[in-house]
Amino acid sequence: MTIQPSTTLRKARHVNRKHWALVAAATVLPLAASTGTAVAAPSDATPAPSAACTYTPAVPADNFKGIPVFDARKAAQPYRATLRTNQGAITFEALTDKAPCTTFSFRFLAEHDYFDRTHCHRLTTQRIYVLQCGDPTGTGSGGPGYSFPDENLTGATYPAGTVAMANAGPNTNGSQFFFVWKDTKLSPAYTPFGRITAGLDVLQKIAAAGEDDQNNPGDGFPNVPVNIRQVKISKR
């Protein structure tokens, strides 16, 4: 598979596992329209389920933890996620009001230890500036056994500190996500679902060490291994 530099991020549908590749050309990924965002209801009301929050069985099913059942009340609860890595802790606030389906899935996986003892498999240092994680196989082709629709895409931008979903095309979100460590221009095709509140310096330290260019110049496996030891969810 030819890996082309691009302003898009996608999970590889098929990948040589030696290369942890995550690829795509801009010409094959059209802009994805937003599926709509659900807004948390006032605390004295029962939130209505969002039609967008449907988790559909999908392959692969690596380290399978089950398929979440969307709970609108729980999805509306704000939370912080702290990723404890061997390079330092990274904390972000989940955008539960803007991407409830995505943040509910991330919390489900984190609470089932899905991300624990995994590593971040891709770092980019040219054109786009991201660290990609969330694949228990460490190859760029892994997934949780389900997919769900895009959210929060209207007017989406990707400044430093953004946490967003990687995908294999519109409405194919799974477990893979990326941290933006430097302001990055991407098409609004990747659901932003978090904002880093601590640990951006950790990401910048990882980025400063570079990557091995195995996918393309400026795109490869981090030179400094990034191992996620635990993801802890706490109330905001």
Side-chain angles (χ1 to χ4, degrees):
M1 177 179 291
T2 300
I3 300 172
Q4 303 179 25
S6 139
T7 55
T8 63
L9 281 167
R10 294 176 70 195
K11 292 188 299 185
R13 294 181 186 275
H14 303 286
V15 64
N16 181 335
R17 289 180 179 267
K18 180 179 178 181
H19 295 293
W20 298 279
L22 186 153
V23 185
T27 54
V28 297
L29 181 57
L31 294 181
S34 172
T35 56
T37 57
V39 179
S43 59
D44 60 349
T46 300
S50 170
C53 289
T54 301
Y55 304 101
T56 304
V59 292
D62 301 299
N63 192 23
F64 186 63
K65 300 295 184 180
I67 297 177
V69 177
F70 186 71
D71 180 331
R73 184 175 293 279
K74 184 174 182 179
Q77 297 171 0
Y79 70 86
R80 288 189 180 92
T82 298
L83 288 80
R84 304 188 190 282
T85 82
N86 62 320
Q87 301 300 328
I90 303 164
T91 299
F92 69 86
E93 290 187 354
L95 304 179
T96 53
D97 58 333
K98 295 180 173 63
C101 189
T102 308
T103 54
F104 187 83
S105 171
F106 187 91
R107 173 158 44 188
F108 170 84
L109 293 173
E111 290 177 341
H112 286 81
D113 304 328
Y114 185 84
F115 302 113
D116 295 2
R117 298 172 298 282
T118 65
H119 65 264
C120 299
H121 62 274
R122 185 193 186 195
L123 174 68
T124 57
T125 57
Q126 295 181 26
R127 300 194 181 189
I128 57 176
Y129 308 102
V130 307
L131 178 70
Q132 187 148 345
C133 317
D135 176 3
T137 72
T139 66
S141 63
Y146 62 87
S147 63
F148 56 93
D150 300 320
E151 299 177 285
N152 195 29
L153 295 185
T154 302
T157 58
Y158 304 88
T162 299
V163 188
M165 295 300 294
N167 61 51
N171 304 312
T172 59
N173 301 290
S175 61
Q176 292 191 43
F177 62 94
F178 58 90
F179 295 114
V180 181
W181 59 268
K182 180 180 177 180
D183 291 354
T184 290
K185 290 184 178 180
L186 289 169
S187 62
Y190 310 95
T191 297
F193 71 96
R195 183 181 304 108
I196 293 172
T197 57
L200 185 58
D201 59 329
V202 173
L203 292 170
Q204 291 168 342
K205 178 186 70 173
I206 294 165
E211 39 66 44
D212 64 8
D213 289 349
Q214 64 179 268
N215 298 332
N216 233 27
D219 184 345
F221 193 80
N223 287 334
V224 175
V226 185
N227 302 317
I228 299 173
R229 293 169 173 164
Q230 183 185 43
V231 179
K232 181 175 177 57
I233 303 296
S234 58
K235 293 181 180 179
R236 266 204 287 137

